[in-house]
Amino acid sequence: MTIRFFAAAAEVVGSSLLDRPDSVRTVGELRSWLNENYPQANSLWVKCLVAIDQSYASDDHPLKQNDDIAIIPPVSGG
């Protein structure tokens, strides 16, 4: 299962795509995994929205094998 990253989140991980570890079973566990593996961006992960199959998901949302996961950081514009 692949996780897609956008904007600042992609810059932090150094890629727009990463494989989801099998041990990550919920959105909350995904956030924890990101915090552990990319601690320099802990303040960013808290602000990011997570979309599963193009719908925003809460931290207790379970992850399934074929989910389309997107990490969307806050954006500003004018």
Side-chain angles (χ1 to χ4, degrees):
M1 178 181 318
T2 302
I3 305 164
R4 289 189 286 152
F5 294 87
F6 295 91
E11 290 177 25
V12 168
V13 300
S15 177
S16 61
L17 297 172
L18 283 181
D19 289 330
R20 177 187 64 94
D22 291 334
S23 62
V24 173
R25 306 270 181 196
T26 66
V27 170
E29 289 177 8
L30 176 59
R31 287 185 191 277
S32 294
W33 182 84
L34 290 169
N35 280 326
E36 291 170 15
N37 288 277
Y38 303 96
Q40 71 276 21
N42 285 348
S43 62
L44 174 64
W45 304 131
V46 172
K47 298 174 193 171
C48 286
L49 295 174
V50 177
I52 308 297
D53 296 328
Q54 301 180 358
S55 295
Y56 294 124
S58 62
D59 282 354
D60 61 346
H61 189 282
L63 299 176
K64 297 181 297 269
Q65 185 60 34
N66 294 320
D67 283 343
D68 178 24
I69 303 170
I71 307 296
I72 307 164
V75 295
S76 62

